[in-house]
Amino acid sequence: MTSCFCQHQIKILNLEDNELINHQFLLIKGYVESFKCIKNSAVSLQELNIANDKILTTGISQTNGQFKFLVDLGLNDSAFFFKFTYCLTSVTRSIQYQSLRGEFKISPFLVLAQDESTNEQTELNQSIVDLNLLLVQSVYADKVREAVQVRCTFELLEKCKIFRSQLSKQEIWNCTENDLWQSIAREFINSEWGKDKRSKFIAFINCTKYEGFEVEKSGNFSYANIRKHIKGYAALGGGGLALFGTIYFYCWPHYFHEVLNCFQNQQPVDLCKQPDDSNYRKTWAGVYASTLGALSHELGHIFDLGHTQNGVMGTGFDFINRVFTLNTTTEHLPQRIVAHEEKKEIPATRFTKFKKPANGFLDNYRQQKENDSFFFTNNCAIILTHNPWLKKDIQRDFLNSEFQVDYNVHTNTVQVQPAGPVLKCIEIRCSANSLVKEWYEFKNSATLTFTFPRLLNDLSGSHYIFVMSDKGHVKRLQF
């Protein structure tokens, strides 16, 4: 019998021993040092209280020894003991799973038109919403932790409910994206749910439809023409509502065990039957990645995030598939840019125009090789960790205090009124698209004034000042 003298070591990257976990789906990332093994072993994960079908694994990369697990911790609070094994070596982690119990929550809804009936597909769409919001909840927790070493995420009030709109299907199909957001937002505000100021909403239009026959007949399969033939659709977030369509649910997982397969499904999109929003990948996996990434992006807007050049709130939301998989092949996709449109008081739009690849290929290549390319920039992570919908210990302070802040154009100074919350973060954002131009963090727990290091006269009219307090209040100040 041959003895094994392998010198393996298992490293867990994103989970400390005895860590408190507040989200149902737990992503675990790690790698094996000296992973080449004569036994060609796989990394296994054992936890006696979790069924095998609630543990998904990528296997181990034969390129760099990386591995990932996605674990469904279930609904009941409990302690878990994980044992990771590779060949003859093992490492353990204990965690305490405790579901979130905050006051500020996200309420998911499936929006049905006034003349729309419920059926089996309606129930299926609700289950798709529930599953995928839990995935996004997990991504937020992991990516905020990655950026600022604090694990926090949003809380879902309950499972997806039905919201009956006053609009007919035809009226929904005739609405522009912005008008649809405005109409649905008003309906939520005037509903029984809108009375609760501690709730924000994420809603999916159930009757979204794709006129694939018209696209086929035109012979024009460009993204612009595909988008033109999707009716009753939105991908917008801002204020208290993120609004989407259900038209891309054809490639979203229905059940937990399907998640990794959906991220890896290379089935080509049949543009005569299914719309493509994959940033030119033209596969079901690409559509799923781009549209789930867009969901993460638009949720960021209802948590007060602006646009950034890179990351989840910029050019990187297409890559959410890389968070869950061991995708080591690079994808140099067309770079998304901000749409410069004159808008009324509506949420910041997602990036829908593309800039074809030019320079920066090598930088993109290196970045994708070294990480999963899906991240919150530091300013976004700071805002998230001080938003009451994610940071539970400031919620009562947020409700019980007022934030009074002014900008003095003559002294170029932002000043907070004493005896209240203090400054935590300031951003200068473009008025046209909420793109962050500059940002400042205040680590001093008593910062009441801030003078910009340069004159801002050249930004008057084209930019605004976003201010956040240490208790989660936000204000928009004009120059």
Side-chain angles (χ1 to χ4, degrees):
M1 181 176 178
T2 303
S3 298
C4 180
F5 298 101
C6 302
Q7 299 297 312
H8 309 302
Q9 276 194 310
I10 301 173
K11 302 291 185 181
I12 306 300
L13 296 175
N14 66 334
L15 189 65
E16 298 294 331
D17 201 25
N18 298 315
E19 190 167 345
L20 179 64
I21 305 299
N22 295 124
H23 44 95
Q24 184 178 336
F25 290 175
L26 175 62
L27 178 67
I28 305 172
K29 300 181 288 190
Y31 67 95
V32 178
E33 289 185 344
S34 304
F35 65 91
K36 297 296 184 181
C37 180
I38 62 173
K39 292 186 175 182
N40 196 27
S41 300
V43 179
S44 65
L45 170 58
Q46 295 176 309
E47 213 301 326
L48 295 178
N49 296 319
I50 299 179
N52 289 337
D53 63 348
K54 299 300 182 182
I55 300 177
L56 305 182
T57 179
T58 59
I60 185 169
S61 168
Q62 294 305 306
T63 303
N64 52 25
Q66 292 182 354
F67 61 87
K68 295 178 183 178
F69 289 94
L70 183 63
V71 183
D72 182 353
L73 300 176
L75 299 175
N76 299 319
D77 295 357
S78 181
F80 293 98
F81 181 80
F82 296 120
K83 183 177 182 181
F84 303 87
T85 303
Y86 182 75
C87 191
L88 300 180
T89 189
S90 64
V91 66
T92 62
R93 287 289 186 275
S94 297
I95 67 164
Q96 181 66 44
Y97 169 51
Q98 184 179 89
S99 55
L100 293 164
R101 298 187 180 91
E103 296 184 51
F104 290 68
K105 304 177 191 294
I106 302 297
S107 299
F109 288 92
L110 189 67
V111 177
L112 267 62
Q114 185 184 53
D115 55 347
E116 188 175 3
S117 59
T118 60
N119 51 36
E120 289 184 9
Q121 185 61 48
T122 307
E123 295 181 2
L124 182 59
N125 285 347
Q126 288 178 275
S127 67
I128 291 173
V129 169
D130 290 331
L131 173 70
N132 287 275
L133 283 181
L134 289 176
L135 288 173
V136 174
Q137 183 188 55
S138 175
V139 169
Y140 264 70
D142 188 68
K143 290 302 168 180
V144 172
R145 184 187 192 278
E146 190 176 276
V148 290
Q149 288 72 57
V150 176
R151 187 186 291 270
C152 66
T153 191
F154 56 90
E155 180 178 359
L156 296 166
L157 176 62
E158 52 195 340
K159 290 186 177 296
C160 181
K161 286 188 170 185
I162 296 295
F163 182 87
R164 182 67 67 173
S165 173
Q166 298 174 10
L167 300 173
S168 68
K169 286 189 290 186
Q170 193 63 52
E171 288 172 326
I172 288 175
W173 294 333
N174 290 339
C175 278
T176 66
E177 188 174 27
N178 291 337
D179 287 344
L180 186 56
W181 187 93
Q182 294 279 5
S183 296
I184 299 300
R186 278 194 297 269
E187 289 191 78
F188 269 107
I189 290 173
N190 294 324
S191 71
E192 57 180 301
W193 292 292
K195 299 174 184 177
D196 187 354
K197 304 305 180 185
R198 296 166 300 179
S199 286
K200 290 179 181 285
F201 307 102
I202 178 165
F204 295 81
I205 305 295
N206 191 63
C207 67
T208 309
K209 69 174 182 176
Y210 173 55
E211 298 173 334
F213 176 76
E214 296 298 323
V215 173
E216 181 183 18
K217 189 169 63 173
S218 72
N220 179 359
F221 294 99
S222 67
Y223 174 79
N225 195 46
I226 290 171
R227 182 65 188 85
K228 177 183 175 182
H229 286 89
I230 301 176
K231 304 300 182 181
Y233 179 76
L236 288 177
L241 173 67
L243 183 65
F244 300 87
T246 56
I247 198 65
Y248 297 107
F249 280 9
Y250 71 86
C251 61
W252 285 33
H254 303 170
Y255 306 102
F256 179 77
H257 70 268
E258 300 174 333
V259 171
L260 295 186
N261 290 336
C262 286
F263 279 124
Q264 297 168 324
N265 187 353
Q266 296 305 302
Q267 179 174 341
V269 177
D270 182 351
L271 293 175
C272 301
K273 300 177 181 178
Q274 304 145 346
D276 178 27
D277 187 2
S278 64
N279 202 352
Y280 297 100
R281 286 174 278 196
K282 299 181 180 179
T283 63
W284 283 33
V287 174
Y288 180 41
S290 287
T291 52
L292 191 70
L295 172 57
S296 303
H297 176 102
E298 299 304 335
L299 272 175
H301 287 314
I302 72 172
F303 298 137
D304 303 314
L305 301 185
H307 284 139
T308 55
Q309 291 289 354
N310 302 301
V312 179
M313 301 310 296
T315 60
F317 67 77
D318 290 291
F319 299 109
I320 196 172
N321 57 311
R322 300 173 68 94
V323 176
F324 295 96
T325 65
L326 294 181
N327 184 1
T328 56
T329 58
T330 59
E331 297 174 291
H332 194 60
L333 305 181
Q335 189 177 23
R336 295 179 183 268
I337 59 176
V338 179
H340 296 280
E341 299 177 358
E342 290 298 322
K343 300 191 293 290
K344 299 174 288 186
E345 286 299 315
I346 61 174
T349 63
R350 67 170 286 196
F351 302 156
T352 54
K353 294 183 180 179
F354 299 100
K355 181 172 63 178
K356 289 290 185 182
N359 298 324
F361 178 84
L362 289 179
D363 288 341
N364 193 327
Y365 179 90
R366 292 191 192 98
Q367 183 191 59
Q368 290 189 32
K369 281 293 188 183
E370 294 170 2
N371 58 62
D372 59 31
S373 304
F374 193 88
F375 59 91
F376 287 111
T377 56
N378 284 349
N379 57 311
C380 289
I382 291 165
I383 292 172
L384 290 174
T385 55
H386 288 80
N387 185 295
W389 271 265
L390 287 89
K391 189 175 183 182
K392 308 308 171 188
D393 58 357
I394 67 168
Q395 292 181 342
R396 292 193 178 278
D397 292 336
F398 176 83
L399 288 171
N400 297 330
S401 58
E402 293 186 5
F403 185 48
Q404 296 182 330
V405 58
D406 298 295
Y407 170 67
N408 188 317
V409 65
H410 302 293
T411 60
N412 203 29
T413 299
V414 172
Q415 182 165 3
V416 176
Q417 297 299 318
V422 299
L423 293 174
K424 181 58 190 178
C425 180
I426 289 178
E427 294 179 341
I428 298 176
R429 296 181 180 178
C430 177
S431 299
N433 51 34
S434 293
L435 181 66
V436 178
K437 182 179 180 66
E438 301 173 12
W439 67 277
Y440 309 88
E441 179 189 12
F442 307 101
K443 297 182 178 179
N444 188 321
S445 60
T447 303
L448 296 175
T449 62
F450 171 69
T451 301
F452 288 96
R454 67 178 184 87
L455 294 177
L456 304 177
N457 297 337
D458 59 321
L459 301 180
S460 178
S462 63
H463 289 72
Y464 65 93
I465 303 171
F466 169 88
V467 185
M468 184 176 218
S469 80
D470 63 331
K471 304 302 182 186
H473 307 83
V474 297
K475 288 292 176 67
R476 174 172 171 161
L477 307 176
Q478 299 296 332
F479 290 107

